[in-house]
Amino acid sequence: MHYYYIAIMLSHMGRKPKSQEERVSNRIEVIRIGLGMSRQQLADLLGVHYQTVGYIERGEYLPSLVLALQISKALATQVEDIFKLEEESN
């Protein structure tokens, strides 16, 4: 009985499957272009490769919390004005 309980608990503790994860959208590209900043310039400010900025802009990669805050600072924009949880359409 004890092992069964542990198995149940562990099965509920892991990450959600990709299909069930909440999606995050961002406005990095729009804000960056509005500031007249290139991907390379933003990447240099962040200390990352310019391709990383592209991956984040397209939603192919989610930045860490630290990187999200650095992006916010580099773009002089509140983090909640850059990143949004996408609403599920049911």
Side-chain angles (χ1 to χ4, degrees), residues 1-87:
M1 179 77 166
H2 179 69
Y3 295 111
Y4 177 75
Y5 177 75
I6 292 171
I8 298 268
M9 292 303 294
L10 289 174
S11 71
H12 287 67
M13 290 175 58
R15 291 185 61 168
K16 294 179 182 176
K18 287 252 186 229
S19 62
Q20 294 177 5
E21 285 183 1
E22 295 195 49
R23 305 259 323 154
V24 176
S25 61
N26 72 73
R27 300 181 57 240
I28 296 171
E29 185 175 25
V30 171
I31 296 167
R32 176 181 59 73
I33 290 172
L35 294 171
M37 187 183 296
S38 71
R39 259 191 203 150
Q40 185 64 61
Q41 289 170 320
L42 179 56
D44 290 344
L45 288 172
L46 300 173
V48 300
H49 195 276
Y50 78 93
Q51 288 179 324
T52 301
V53 173
Y55 294 143
I56 295 169
E57 287 179 346
R58 291 187 301 273
E60 297 172 15
Y61 173 76
L62 290 178
S64 67
L65 177 57
V66 171
L67 185 53
L69 293 171
Q70 291 171 335
I71 291 167
S72 172
K73 183 177 179 180
L75 297 177
T77 305
Q78 294 292 316
V79 73
E80 61 269 20
D81 293 332
I82 299 172
F83 298 97
K84 301 275 188 215
L85 285 176
E86 291 182 2
E87 298 290 327

